[in-house]
Every structure is written in structure tokens, then in C-alpha cells.
Amino acid sequence: MLRVYRGELLHFLADPAKVALQESYQYFEDGLMIIKDGLIESIGEANELLPTLDDNIDVTHYKSGLMMPGFIDTHVHYPQTEMIASYGEQLLEWLENYTFPFERQFSDLEHGKNVAEFFLSQLLEAGTTTALVFGTVHKASVDAFFTVAQQKKLRMICGKVLMDQNCPDYLSDTAQTGYDDSKALIEKWHNTDRLQYAITPRFAPTCSTEQLNKAGQLLAEHPSVYLHTHLSENKAEIAWVKELFPDSTSYLDVYDKSKLLGRRSVFAHGVHLHDEECQRLGETNSAIAFCPSSNLFLGSGLFNLQQAQKFDVNVGLGSDIGAGTTFSMLSTINEGYKTQQLRQEKLSPFQSLYLATLGGARALDLEGTVGNFTQGAEADFVLLDYHATPLMARRMQHCTTLSEKLFILSMLGDERHVKATHIMGERVTGEPK
Ligand code: GUN
Ligand code: ZN
């Protein structure tokens, strides 16, 4: 089945930090996207591609707005949706006072499905079409999430939290039950439709060495699954890891010793990394999820994007709901820009929109599948609206270049500027055209 969309089109082919800017993206002011059975068949100038189509083909013409690949959120906790904006604490107290008691409810499958339904609809409204998602320690939390994601035909990655120490008894598994439950979930869900599994040790403080080693064993047994955890987010956390794992040379080394690094390993935050850790992340092709909204909300610190780039670490953007305060990747970019300003660095609109799309896909080892419009990629895309709010509309009157337009979009933009989201070529949000 063929679907054709016409309008302004932008996507990335390479990292603007690595190649000449003009080579990093493709932009068509009047473009055409041809989708066959949910996959990109071709994109190009409308006046060149339209004559190649049969006369009877229906073309959806988006006369205003920008089509871009759906956003990719490389770190988010669906069970924390309803505890977003919990006041006053930094990481460790925030976990103890708010997060752990909250996650208890997810032993109940129906509760999980209810929250997953809301969470996924919020993601889609915000234009996020793929995410790497934490469940809770409960197996049912992941069954719930995948059941709903499957119904919505989404490309999603999720995993059951592993934690067997330094957490309430009601949230604790063991090295063995964590392994067994994760394995059963992998067998049931990994590569089912568009779903993939991530082995998910919460973070070093809540995992015994035995549990981390079992996670490494499971990863070796299932090399195509992901590894998803937290790393070097907060200074008190890092000091605690040093105390708990005196034989490790760094926070990252705790994970490295358990064989948890690799092409499908994603570490959230990485705010306070030493050069040696960054180098190791780069050489193992591991990725960092840059979560500026969360890093600011919890007072964790300012991520050093330039350090990650220097060591060739794959970086994507993460909302980190519920420590982050927005589902919107546009708003997350806004927080990222300000983070870089406080570091006396710049984050160009091309760089940030790359991170939100192809950069995220690369961090998740999904280039060619999602994140841009190359032939054969899954046609998940958004239509962004420059005029959804009076302020943005007015500001847009005074801009002349694409770069300026994209910057304004990403500084003032949020869910309101996502006019429609499309999954495998089909529009799933927004008013009918
Ligand atoms: N570190 C361990 N667990 C969490 C969590 O739920 N959120 C954040 N931001 N950091 C963590
Ligand atoms: Zn997190």
C-alpha cells in the first residue's frame, strides 16, 4: 500500500559535529515522501517525484509545517508518569521519598496498562515515536507496557528493573529471579513486532555484584537485546558507588567488570565522567542518554557534550520522565541549549535536532530502521507547526534562514507545535487534515 505526503521536509544523514553542515542534512522546501507498506520508498523534490506517480494516487499535502522523523527518547521511565514534578530533592532522596513508594503500584498489570496507555499517548502527542523505557522491578510492568505498545504498532524498547539491594523489600528481586524474569520477558517480547527488550539494572547502588554479573551473562546469551542503566548522575551517588565497589577504578568500571558495555548499551546521564570513562564508552560503542531537563530538575549537573563528542561516544536525548519535567523533545532541546550555555558552549539547532532523531537512532543502534528517511526506514514522522502559538507565529515573521527557523522552533516549541504524528505512514494524532 502506497501513502504519499507532500510538504516541507527535513532529516539528517550524518552528525553535524562530524561533517560539513550541508552534508549532515537534507531539506526540501516542497518535498515529497513516498511510503510503501509503512516503509520509506523515496523522498525528494515534489516537482521531480510527482510525475513518477500514477495519476490515481492520493497525495496528502501539508501546506504549512515541517515534516521530520519522529523524535527518539533514549531514556524515560513510564511508571514515573504520575509522579512528575515531585518537589525539592536531589537524586538519592528523590528516589527514596517519592520514586520507590510510587513504583510499588506496578505489581498490578491493569494499573501498568492504564499508565502505559496514557504515557504512550503523551509521547505520541509530543512527537516521540520511539523510546528506551524503564519498567519497574515487576515483570507485569513490562508485560503491561509491551501489550499497549504492540496495540499501537510502536517501535519501543523496555525492560524490567533489576535491583536486589539498597531498596525497599517490596521492590527487591534477587540475582536469580531477576535473571529468570528478564529471560522470560526476552523470550516473550524481544523482536515481537516492533518491540525489543533491554536488560535494565537500575544503577550500581541497587545491584549486587552477583546481580550485575548475571545481567552480563544474560546479555552474552542474548546479544541482540539492549542494556539500559544509569551512570554518574549525581555526586552523592558517585561517592556511594565508590564505597560500595572499592575494587572498581570508576563508576563505569563497575559495569565494565560485569561485561555490560557494548553497541546496544545505553547509560543515562553520564554527567560527571572522567576522560577514561568516556574513552571506554567510545571504544565499546556504548551510548549516553543526555537528559538535560532531569539533570537540571534534580540539580545533578551540566552534561559535557563536547567531552562525549571528543571520545566518539554515541549520544541521544532523554526526557527521563519523572525526573525530567517534559515529554517534549523540543522542550528537552531547550533545556539542553541552556545547559550548554552554562558551560560556555553552543548547541546549534541542527545539532540538537540531529540528537533528537538520527543521533537517538544511532545511540539505540537503530540507524536505517528509524531516525531518518532513508529508503527502507520505518515511516514514523511528525508534522511540526510553526504557527501553533501566537508567540511563535509572530517570532517566525522575523526570521530569514532555515537555521533561525529551526532554532525558534526548538526554543519555543513543545507539544502544541506537533500538529500530527504518523506511525508507519499512518496519521495517529491530531485533527484529520
Ligand atoms: N538512578 C536510579 N534510579 C533512577 C531513576 O529512577 N531516575 C533517575 N533520574 N536516576 C536514577
Ligand atoms: Zn532515569
Side-chain angles (χ1 to χ4, degrees), residues 75-77 80 134 230 233 268-269 291 294 320-321 323:
H75 178 68
V76 58
H77 300 249
Q80 295 175 13
F134 258 65
H230 297 92
E233 176 176 3
H269 307 288
C291 307
S294 163
D320 193 25
I321 297 286

